[in-house]
């Protein structure tokens, strides 16, 4: 298959973003919901492609010196090949280039793949939201310092993220 390309994208891609979201999350975000988010200047949209095929997506919010990963997904048949890691790295690079010094995100305690991806990418746990998700699972709140040593912010660390 073709080489992976990760592109910044705008509201015109909301339908393709939603198609990926639909095979990654339940409930998923509609094209209209994604388009509304992407109308905001603080939203960064990323699409991952291999040739004409869309294989992944992410949305980040970047405001002042902080960024938040709103969502990230890779279509099931393309998982385990480094696509998620590369989308996340691109989001971090884009956020840092816009002046963000830290990236925040939330992940369910039940999401083994997500937790491993973030652990490998240098995120550290700074909090926990009990019963945050619809399935009753807790959300781990994670942070990574985008400037400096890239190892996450030890100063705010409550619990090291474990596998
Ligand atoms: C989480 C997700 C984006 C990972 O995408 P991916 O392209 O498969 O991830 P990568 O191939 O880049 O893997 C990077 C690292 O993540 C971890 N990882 C990925 N999938 C994993 C799995 N199924 N089990 C355990 N660890 C996993 C590994 O540490 C991996 O590094 P390694 O291959 O060197 O071991 C993908 O599984 C997905 O879309 N899941 C559904 C949506 C979702 O849960 N998004 C995150 C919400 S917080």
């Amino acid at each position: 298959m073709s080489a992976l390309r990760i592109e910044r994208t705008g509201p015109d891609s909301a339908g393709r973003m939603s198609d990926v979201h639909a095979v990654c999350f339940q409930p998923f975000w509609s094209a209209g919901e994604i388009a509304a988010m992407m109308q905001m200047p603080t939203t960064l949209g990323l699409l991952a492609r291999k040739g004409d095929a869309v294989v992944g997506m992410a949305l980040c919010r970047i405001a002042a010196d902080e960024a938040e990963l709103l969502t990230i997904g890779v279509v099931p048949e393309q998982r385990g090949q480094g696509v998620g890691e590369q989308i996340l790295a691109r989001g971090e690079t884009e956020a840092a280039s816009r002046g963000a010094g830290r990236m925040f995100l939330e992940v369910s305690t039940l999401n083994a793949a997500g937790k491993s991806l973030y652990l490998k990418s240098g995120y550290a746990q700074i909090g926990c939201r009990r019963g945050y998700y619809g399935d009753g699972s807790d959300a781990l709140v994670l942070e990574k310092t985008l400037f400096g040593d890239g190892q996450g912010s030890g100063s705010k660390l409550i619990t090291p993220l474990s596998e």
Side-chain angles (χ1 to χ4, degrees):
M1 204 181 197
S2 313
L4 178 69
R5 288 179 291 129
I6 298 169
E7 303 167 352
R8 276 186 316 220
T9 190
D12 289 354
S13 298
R16 277 165 289 182
M17 306 274 278
S18 177
D19 289 345
V20 176
H21 209 264
V23 296
C24 293
F25 295 95
Q26 193 53 249
F28 66 94
W29 295 350
S30 70
E33 289 170 316
I34 290 176
M37 283 182 227
M38 296 183 79
Q39 300 286 355
M40 302 175 74
T42 50
T43 303
L44 167 73
L46 296 174
L47 263 191
R49 295 174 183 272
K50 287 186 178 177
D52 290 335
V54 175
V55 298
M57 58 84 74
L59 288 168
C60 299
R61 185 186 297 126
I62 305 166
D65 61 349
E66 292 185 351
E68 181 183 6
L69 182 71
L70 301 173
T71 191
I72 184 170
V74 173
V75 298
E77 58 273 22
Q78 291 289 330
R79 290 180 190 163
Q81 301 174 42
V83 176
E85 198 173 351
Q86 291 193 55
I87 299 172
L88 180 59
R90 176 67 180 272
E92 292 167 359
T93 302
E94 294 281 345
S97 74
R98 295 188 195 186
R102 297 182 295 171
M103 179 77 87
F104 296 91
L105 60 85
E106 283 143 3
V107 61
S108 166
T109 50
L110 303 181
N111 189 340
K115 285 193 297 179
S116 295
L117 168 62
Y118 303 135
L119 175 66
K120 185 179 182 193
S121 300
Y123 285 78
Q125 184 182 342
I126 57 165
C128 180
R129 298 194 168 121
R130 299 281 172 209
Y132 183 78
Y133 292 104
D135 62 5
S137 66
D138 299 339
L140 304 178
V141 184
L142 309 184
E143 177 194 40
K144 179 178 176 179
T145 301
L146 301 180
F147 300 147
D149 64 8
Q151 297 301 307
S153 91
S155 59
K156 286 194 167 184
L157 187 67
I158 295 173
T159 313
L161 183 61
S162 56
E163 293 192 76

